[in-house]
């Protein structure tokens, strides 16, 4: 897998900066476990898409994948159901300071996010600026507006700061992003 | 991976019975592509969950997974959005004649399906009886009723025939299961 400049996958971050935190992906997974355990929402991370080429079937019980390749994902990483609504998002970290490079999100994933919104689902990005230690939720519709205007290759930090919602760190859940989803998508609804 | 008696994963069927058809999984994937292309629904198969142990990074562009293992899935294989609703299902084939063995669906997957229903989503099974060349959609709620009554290890063919809905083979889409979803979940609604 190729990582564009300034972008790290969480497990790379963990390897390289083990003491800086548990990484966005792990924190979201933990939050989703919390939501599931407390029957708040059913949201899962999709497995990494791969093409399996060679499998060694040692026995009927055990099989070892001996050769496989990473595939470009055709959807976002996370989806599920919350308050009866379909919810879909992608989560990424960047070490950049002034913008979030869009090269980090595949064209297919972006298209998918917009399709979800078109079909009445909730779609957004969770973006962490590692340098500032800030994590934002940016609605897909806000992203559509920005991308519709210009042929951008990145989302400026200032745009995300202005139009995104800051997600606070917590203990349980680690990132209570559904609180912001409530604010943005269920305003006025009873909880 | 261990396959309980009478159960085959689609790619096994393809290998063993190449001329009998393209296999349930491929037919559903093709149907989902049709739905996506015609902007009817956004439904995808989740990638096979695996644990990656060893990756060979030959270059910055290419990476080969050298050792990985299949994981027990914690959710069903398919989910997405249709007519604004969250939709979730598992699809399996059996060569059994009198019943569908539940050993084919992991406990986690079943639990997941019931959680989805609890949260207001649409959840069902698609079951193919290869012997009869028949494919059924069985609502998750029907399954809950059956499993609530008894400590069953299988779903009788007769039960599926009575309470499930037969899915007709077509050309495009191959299996128009959303037509049945319309009947079952959107009756009386405008399309």
């Amino acid at each position: 897998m190729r990582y564009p400049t300034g972008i790290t996958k969480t497990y790379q971050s963990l390897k390289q900066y083990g003491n800086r935190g548990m990484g966005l992906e792990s924190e979201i997974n933990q939050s989703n476990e919390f939501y599931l355990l407390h029957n708040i929402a059913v949201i899962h991370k999709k497995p990494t898409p791969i093409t399996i080429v060679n499998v060694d079937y040692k026995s009927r019980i055990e099989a070892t994948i001996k050769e496989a390749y990473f595939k470009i994902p055709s959807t976002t990483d996370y989806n599920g159901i919350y308050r009866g609504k379909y919810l879909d998002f992608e989560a990424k970290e960047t070490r950049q300071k002034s913008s979030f490079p869009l090269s980090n999100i595949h064209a297919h994933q972006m298209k998918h996010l917009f399709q979800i919104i078109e079909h009445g689902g909730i779609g957004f990005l969770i973006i962490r600026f590692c340098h500032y230690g800030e994590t934002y939720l940016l609605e897909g519709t806000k992203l559509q507006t920005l991308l519709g205007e210009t042929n951008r290759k990145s989302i400026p930090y200032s745009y995300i700061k202005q139009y995104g919602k800051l997600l606070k760190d917590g203990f349980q859940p680690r990132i209570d992003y559904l609180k912001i989803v409530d604010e943005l998508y269920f305003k006025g609804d009873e909880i």
Side-chain angles (χ1 to χ4, degrees), chain A:
Chain A
M1 269 211 268
R2 193 163 62 92
Y3 298 105
T5 323
I7 298 298
T8 53
K9 268 281 199 185
T10 303
Y11 62 85
Q12 281 214 335
S13 309
L14 280 173
K15 223 185 323 183
Q16 291 167 21
Y17 307 100
N19 294 325
R20 286 202 195 172
M22 61 193 298
L24 183 59
E25 189 179 305
S26 303
E27 290 181 29
I28 290 174
N29 291 345
Q30 212 186 62
S31 305
N32 288 342
E33 278 171 35
F34 175 88
Y35 293 141
L36 189 65
L37 192 69
H38 292 83
N39 210 24
I40 294 164
V42 185
I43 301 161
H44 289 273
K45 185 183 180 293
K46 290 190 181 182
T48 306
I50 57 162
T51 305
I52 298 170
V53 175
N54 185 16
V55 181
D56 181 10
Y57 292 95
K58 283 175 202 161
S59 66
R60 283 203 60 190
I61 296 162
E62 210 184 338
T64 308
I65 299 161
K66 287 289 190 188
E67 188 185 354
Y69 297 91
F70 293 105
K71 269 203 295 199
I72 291 175
S74 47
T75 69
T76 50
D77 273 359
Y78 297 89
N79 75 358
I81 187 167
Y82 176 54
R83 295 177 70 173
K85 293 274 277 179
Y86 178 96
L87 183 146
D88 199 294
F89 65 98
E90 186 63 37
K92 295 284 181 193
E93 306 179 80
T94 183
R95 278 181 280 153
Q96 300 275 356
K97 294 175 195 176
S98 61
S99 68
F100 173 79
L102 285 170
S103 55
N104 190 30
I105 299 175
H106 296 288
H108 276 137
Q109 295 183 301
M110 204 73 96
K111 196 181 164 190
H112 171 77
L113 205 62
F114 297 156
Q115 281 170 333
I116 291 306
I117 293 167
E118 202 188 329
H119 282 263
I122 295 170
F124 54 85
L125 298 180
I126 291 181
I127 298 170
R128 172 168 294 172
F129 284 90
C130 299
H131 180 77
Y132 304 112
E134 292 172 354
T135 310
Y136 292 91
L137 186 155
L138 183 67
E139 291 165 89
T141 48
K142 293 276 195 296
L143 191 61
Q144 274 176 314
T145 308
L146 181 76
L147 298 183
E149 283 170 7
T150 49
N151 192 17
R152 293 205 157 269
K153 296 201 166 171
S154 65
I155 316 172
Y157 170 67
S158 59
Y159 185 88
I160 294 169
K161 209 172 163 67
Q162 187 177 353
Y163 294 103
K165 290 276 182 183
L166 188 66
L167 299 173
K168 282 174 197 142
D169 289 345
F171 175 57
Q172 275 193 324
R174 283 299 290 245
I175 309 176
D176 195 2
Y177 65 88
L178 289 182
K179 202 178 161 185
I180 299 297
V181 168
D182 282 334
E183 273 181 36
L184 293 169
Y185 298 94
F186 295 94
K187 217 170 179 173
D189 292 11
E190 253 182 78
I191 296 183

